[in-house]
Amino acid sequence: MTSFPRYDPYNYTDGRWLHRDELQRNARRVMFDFSALCDRVIRLCPAAARVAHCEKKEGRCNRVFLLTMNTGSCVVARLPTGIAGPPRLTTNSEVATMTYLRGKISLPIPHVLDWSDDPSNPIGAEYIIQEPAVGVPLRDMWPRMNMEQHMLCTKALCIAITELASFNFPAYGSLYFADGPLESHLKIPFHQGEGFCIGPHCSPVFWNRSPGELELYGRPSPNCGPWKDLKSYSLGLIETGFSRLPNPDTVNHDLLPYQGSIQDHVVLISKSWEVMQQLIKNKCVQDAAAPTLLHPDFHKRNIYVSEENPTVITGVIDWQWASIEPAFVYANEAPDFANQPQETVETILGLDVQEIPGRSEKELKDASIRCQTYDLYMKAYARKIQYARALDPTLFHLFQCCHTSWRDSATALRHALVELSAYWTEELGLPGSCPYYPTDDELEQHIRDYDDFKAVQQLKQWLTVSLDSGSDGWVPNERWDATKDAHRAQYDLWMETGRDSELRGDDDMTVEKGDKLWPFDAR
């Protein structure tokens, strides 16, 4: 018999948000039968009679419990929240991906003991129960590792990436079990007899599952895949972009100009499809679009290593949202273990990296070696990734922003089109002319709007670093009061700058505009 814990297992309790706090926390509420979950775990652990200890951990989209039995054995139970992705499909796809990859790659993947994608089960929610990852998070070990260990660890992880990138798939989408809860026309079989198929992409982006999106957009995309070729994949992006345009009655009309009207987005998304139809005819783009499966969040927080020898990888967790994408989707973002040192407030404000106190020559050399190791392995062994990395990323920006234009702004999408138009022939070597060509007046207005857009991105990045928060304004409970006060002080300073500019007659920054530009609402 297991009693309920003293903490709340159903609500998000690990932190607060500086932006849309109540909406963010409510979106992560999960209702289920905690006693039934514990009973199920007990039955999975030989000789166990009860749960002796339970530790609750919060993921951004999952409720996680570390359950220790009276015998000392331990398991991890994960329950997706409503924002994790489409019901049933997200759980089925994650387990199918882990099952497919176990034994095929050298990366250790925790063994799934039990799972259900049917919320009508006795627990009352979808769940995955798995063995805990062995070792300790690489994030915790990284500061204690020396330069050689950093390099060897990066090498081992690069080998794992090249293994994943070597698999060939017949379509884009997400992996599922062949008997998964999908209509037959949404299943593309592969490796007949192994029990897997490719089905719809289970990212929340296609299903409008982020906090508040269902209320804003009202429905998922009509085209979530799977897609057998780059043209159908691209059309899926376009149709998703249209599906994310809100009902005019729900739109806040007090928006900054760079956000754009609904009609602006309709025009830009339509024009994006014209441009993309030309891009996907290009052999270079086609060759850079090989269907590729990589870990969706391959960073130090999800990688476990041996505490005795941190160059040995002992586990990789969180395969949720792993999907088969065109290789160019993965091409230009290196994992954090192979990236330059984390940005500081000084670098965001434009100081030379050599001028920053504490940024030692040794640290810079360490980062350089890791980056070179990553580049070497991608170039030598990850053919699909390297081919995409060798091309100008301007070719692919449109594929990465056309389906999220309302979230990211019309200006962000227009900028991708403007760059393509400017570089189409000489820099990119594309035939003919770009179907999008802005007039001088349109280009002048875009430059003004893009300045505001960049100002907001830089402001948010500066706040994220200076407040040590998530990009969405997330802050752990123990720092909430202090961070909220610091946030208010930063806001007051920002508004004072706006007042000074307004008094000087500067129309580019006024009090009203400064308030609109501020990215968080906890004022």
Side-chain angles (χ1 to χ4, degrees):
M1 181 69 178
T2 301
S3 61
F4 280 94
R6 288 188 295 272
Y7 54 76
D8 180 354
Y10 312 112
N11 291 301
Y12 187 92
T13 56
D14 205 39
R16 302 285 297 275
W17 279 263
L18 292 166
H19 190 63
R20 304 197 303 176
D21 179 56
E22 185 176 1
L23 175 65
Q24 293 278 9
R25 288 186 287 122
N26 287 343
R28 290 165 172 81
R29 181 176 175 84
V30 181
M31 295 307 299
F32 64 102
D33 189 330
F34 182 79
S35 292
L37 176 65
C38 291
D39 291 343
R40 183 61 187 152
V41 167
I42 292 168
R43 289 196 297 272
L44 292 169
C45 298
R50 60 185 175 85
V51 175
H53 179 71
C54 177
E55 182 181 356
K56 174 188 173 185
K57 290 184 175 293
E58 300 280 14
R60 292 300 174 89
C61 297
N62 299 277
R63 186 72 24 81
V64 183
F65 300 96
L66 277 62
L67 300 144
T68 304
M69 306 299 108
N70 62 305
T71 57
S73 61
C74 181
V75 298
V76 176
R78 296 172 58 243
L79 291 80
T81 66
I83 62 174
R88 303 201 67 181
L89 301 189
T90 304
T91 298
N92 191 290
S93 178
E94 181 175 5
V95 178
T97 302
M98 295 170 70
T99 305
Y100 176 77
L101 293 176
R102 272 180 62 87
K104 284 185 167 64
I105 59 175
S106 59
L107 276 180
I109 299 174
H111 179 58
V112 175
L113 302 173
D114 187 33
W115 65 282
S116 174
D117 60 9
D118 186 355
S120 66
N121 65 60
I123 293 171
E126 299 176 43
Y127 66 87
I128 298 174
I129 300 173
Q130 63 190 55
E131 295 176 342
V134 177
V136 294
L138 178 59
R139 175 180 57 188
D140 298 341
M141 292 296 295
W142 195 258
R144 292 181 269 165
M145 295 164 62
N146 60 37
M147 190 182 303
E148 182 183 11
Q149 289 174 321
H150 281 165
M151 188 274 289
L152 291 174
C153 186
T154 299
K155 178 181 176 180
L157 292 167
C158 287
I159 291 173
I161 293 174
T162 61
E163 288 179 332
L164 282 169
S166 69
F167 291 110
N168 295 316
F169 298 97
Y172 308 107
S174 296
L175 280 177
Y176 297 89
F177 289 108
D179 61 354
L182 293 166
E183 297 180 33
S184 58
H185 72 280
L186 294 176
K187 297 180 180 181
I188 297 177
F190 76 106
H191 288 193
Q192 295 285 359
E194 290 193 26
F196 300 95
C197 69
I198 300 173
H201 200 300
C202 64
S203 166
V205 171
F206 290 95
W207 300 84
N208 297 328
R209 303 296 297 191
S210 294
E213 285 189 345
L214 278 179
E215 291 79 1
L216 181 62
Y217 304 129
R219 63 194 187 283
S221 168
N223 188 349
C224 301
W227 306 284
K228 292 184 178 181
D229 52 43
L230 184 58
K231 183 175 182 179
S232 57
Y233 172 85
S234 302
L235 181 59
L237 298 178
I238 293 297
E239 292 186 3
T240 298
F242 280 122
S243 77
R244 293 171 69 86
L245 298 181
N247 184 311
D249 295 336
T250 67
V251 176
N252 175 6
H253 296 286
D254 191 29
L255 296 170
L256 282 164
Y258 77 75
Q259 169 61 38
S261 67
I262 291 177
Q263 185 57 34
D264 289 335
H265 287 264
V266 169
V267 170
L268 288 169
I269 296 172
S270 299
K271 185 58 69 173
S272 295
W273 177 229
E274 291 182 38
V275 175
M276 289 166 77
Q277 289 186 86
Q278 295 302 311
L279 290 174
I280 60 182
K281 293 177 183 177
N282 185 271
K283 188 177 186 304
C284 290
V285 173
Q286 293 173 4
D287 290 344
T292 306
L293 173 69
L294 292 185
H295 190 287
D297 193 11
F298 201 53
H299 297 299
K300 294 193 287 280
R301 61 179 172 270
N302 290 323
I303 299 166
Y304 281 66
V305 296
S306 165
E307 191 166 11
E308 292 73 29
N309 182 1
T311 68
V312 175
I313 313 304
T314 58
V316 176
I317 64 170
D318 198 4
W319 292 86
Q320 193 174 66
W321 306 338
S323 55
I324 302 163
E325 306 273 7
F328 60 68
V329 169
Y330 304 111
N332 294 297
E333 183 178 345
D336 59 359
F337 57 81
N339 218 334
Q340 292 291 344
Q342 185 178 4
E343 285 191 304
T344 64
V345 174
E346 290 86 352
T347 58
I348 292 171
L349 294 178
L351 294 182
D352 188 283
V353 69
Q354 301 289 350
E355 300 174 0
I356 300 172
R359 183 60 56 82
S360 67
E361 183 178 341
K362 183 178 179 181
E363 184 181 5
L364 295 172
K365 183 179 179 181
D366 184 13
S368 176
I369 291 173
R370 290 185 281 109
C371 291
Q372 290 177 36
T373 301
Y374 179 78
D375 287 340
L376 175 64
Y377 271 84
M378 293 304 102
K379 183 177 295 185
Y381 303 110
R383 181 182 58 83
K384 290 188 287 187
I385 302 298
Q386 174 53 29
Y387 190 85
R389 283 167 59 86
L391 296 176
D392 191 319
T394 305
L395 283 167
F396 310 118
H397 287 168
L398 202 57
F399 297 90
Q400 296 164 338
C401 65
C402 66
H403 57 308
T404 56
S405 73
W406 187 259
R407 183 194 70 185
D408 299 333
S409 81
T411 299
L413 178 55
R414 185 183 292 108
H415 192 69
L417 289 166
V418 166
E419 285 193 321
L420 278 168
S421 177
Y423 305 147
W424 189 267
T425 303
E426 294 186 9
E427 285 83 355
L428 300 177
L430 295 169
S433 58
C434 181
Y436 173 83
Y437 194 83
T439 65
D440 290 343
D441 289 343
E442 288 171 339
L443 192 57
E444 185 178 341
Q445 181 61 50
H446 171 71
I447 291 171
R448 289 195 296 269
D449 290 343
Y450 193 64
D451 284 343
D452 285 347
F453 173 79
K454 286 193 300 182
V456 171
Q457 308 315 306
Q458 292 169 349
L459 176 60
K460 183 181 288 189
Q461 189 178 14
W462 174 66
L463 284 171
T464 297
V465 174
S466 64
L467 299 174
D468 192 18
S469 72
S471 59
D472 56 358
W474 180 85
V475 180
N477 284 330
E478 61 270 19
R479 290 198 289 106
W480 172 249
D481 289 338
T483 303
K484 192 173 181 181
D485 290 344
H487 172 259
R488 178 68 202 196
Q490 302 282 27
Y491 171 74
D492 289 343
L493 182 62
W494 172 259
M495 295 306 294
E496 185 63 33
T497 302
R499 278 188 286 274
D500 290 345
S501 297
E502 193 168 328
L503 288 173
R504 293 195 303 269
D506 185 356
D507 293 335
D508 288 336
M509 177 57 73
T510 63
V511 171
E512 181 182 6
K513 184 175 181 180
D515 186 63
K516 287 182 179 180
L517 286 173
W518 194 258
F520 300 145
D521 61 16
R523 302 172 189 174

